[in-house]
Amino acid sequence: MNNIYRDFTIRNWQERDRAAAASVIEQVLQEYGLPWEPTGADRDVLAVETAYLSAGGEFWVVERQGQIVGTAAYYPIARGEKAVEIRKMYLLPTARGMGLGKHLLEQLENAIAAKRFQEIWLETASVLKQAVLLYEKYGYRSATGVETKRCDRVYVKYL
């Protein structure tokens, strides 16, 4: 992945991005009163190589003027038929309101479809109102089976 959107660069995660990507996720979670769980739900961002890359997924960072301001990722899961889960789609406040979230979701869906996956799952929290609206607008349907404690919504989209 190497994609330009306005003055943002979306690119593949590199080892040097570990701390900055984790910091973005932690900041956004705190902004919404959600817990940062480095030994639980967020351990994957500290182990991108095994959680995503060697598992057949991807982890991207969003940069603006050399600073990481967002993340987006997915990896295969056993939940459905040829299924993936979108994870860690977070943007700092300075990167919101410009259509970047929509663009990221479209890029994720394109990458997932190119690998011939058939189902996209995701979990989110109701307090992330803009994310919920985005997923619902893009055809994600409410499902059951939330696996992450801080999340209270699960969605699926069939390709």
Side-chain angles (χ1 to χ4, degrees):
M1 162 56 68
N2 199 355
N3 184 283
I4 305 295
Y5 178 82
R6 296 187 178 204
D7 60 341
F8 298 95
T9 300
I10 303 162
R11 63 168 176 79
N12 289 324
W13 178 92
Q14 297 172 13
E15 192 174 344
R16 64 182 160 86
D17 300 324
R18 191 179 324 273
S23 177
V24 165
I25 293 164
E26 183 177 11
Q27 287 176 64
V28 174
L29 289 169
Q30 287 177 350
E31 174 188 352
Y32 287 94
L34 298 169
W36 161 248
E37 301 173 8
T39 59
D42 300 308
R43 70 184 174 278
D44 57 334
V45 77
L46 302 173
V48 170
E49 298 89 340
T50 53
Y52 293 92
L53 307 182
S54 65
E58 296 185 66
F59 195 105
W60 304 337
V61 295
V62 181
E63 277 186 328
R64 184 188 220 177
Q65 299 171 343
Q67 299 295 313
I68 294 178
V69 297
T71 60
Y74 71 90
Y75 56 50
I77 58 170
R79 188 176 220 160
E81 186 67 32
K82 296 186 95 176
V84 298
E85 182 175 348
I86 289 178
R87 302 210 13 110
K88 306 305 183 210
M89 194 165 133
Y90 294 106
L91 295 171
L92 292 177
T94 58
R96 296 182 202 147
M98 295 171 265
L100 181 57
K102 173 185 162 190
H103 181 76
L104 268 175
L105 185 59
E106 290 169 351
Q107 296 304 307
L108 286 166
E109 288 181 352
N110 290 341
I112 290 165
K115 289 188 176 183
R116 304 211 183 279
F117 288 103
Q118 296 175 0
E119 298 178 18
I120 304 173
W121 290 79
L122 61 87
E123 294 185 9
T124 192
S126 293
V127 295
L128 301 170
K129 290 179 176 41
Q130 291 306 113
V132 168
L133 290 172
L134 177 68
Y135 299 137
E136 290 178 352
K137 179 180 177 184
Y138 274 79
Y140 287 80
R141 292 185 297 189
S142 195
T144 57
V146 174
E147 297 175 345
T148 307
K149 280 192 274 184
R150 69 175 172 233
C151 296
D152 62 354
R153 291 175 179 251
V154 62
Y155 289 94
V156 64
K157 183 175 184 176
Y158 300 97
L159 301 178

